[in-house]
Amino acid sequence: MFLLDDLFLLPWRGLFFIFKEITKRAEAELNDPDTIRARLRELQFRYEAGDLEEGAYQAAFSQLVARLRTLQEEAEEEEKGELKKE
């Protein structure tokens, strides 16, 4: 009986695993400082090329810089926590 249950649930478990991996990789890319810096460079380039208005540029720039600062603060707190453990 358990074998039949496992066979019926196998496709759903596979889909769950795939969605979990996609989420993990998307979060890793979203929280990667190098990716954020690349987006800032791209944003600057688009603004200088005239593809973005100043208001849209300022809003996106502020959002990316805030995310970058948050990541840096979290990394510093993590380092302090590791130093205290030693």
Side-chain angles (χ1 to χ4, degrees):
M1 187 71 173
F2 291 115
L3 179 62
L4 288 176
D5 290 342
D6 288 343
L7 288 175
F8 286 128
L9 293 176
L10 188 62
W12 297 108
R13 288 183 181 157
L15 282 175
F16 180 72
F17 174 77
I18 290 171
F19 289 138
K20 194 174 174 181
E21 283 297 311
I22 290 171
T23 302
K24 189 187 309 181
R25 291 182 186 193
E27 286 177 353
E29 184 176 329
L30 186 64
N31 294 328
D32 181 29
D34 293 332
T35 303
I36 295 172
R37 288 184 192 101
R39 286 186 175 182
L40 283 168
R41 286 190 297 271
E42 178 187 348
L43 188 67
Q44 180 71 31
F45 177 75
R46 289 181 58 204
Y47 176 68
E48 289 174 357
D51 292 342
L52 288 175
E53 294 180 9
E54 187 174 350
Y57 168 75
Q58 290 294 333
F61 181 82
S62 298
Q63 192 175 38
L64 288 171
V65 169
R67 187 181 318 153
L68 189 59
R69 283 184 184 153
T70 302
L71 289 173
Q72 289 173 341
E73 289 171 359
E74 288 174 359
E76 289 173 2
E77 288 177 11
E78 208 171 275
E79 279 183 16
K80 288 179 184 177
E82 289 177 6
L83 290 176
K84 287 182 182 178
K85 288 181 182 178
E86 294 176 355

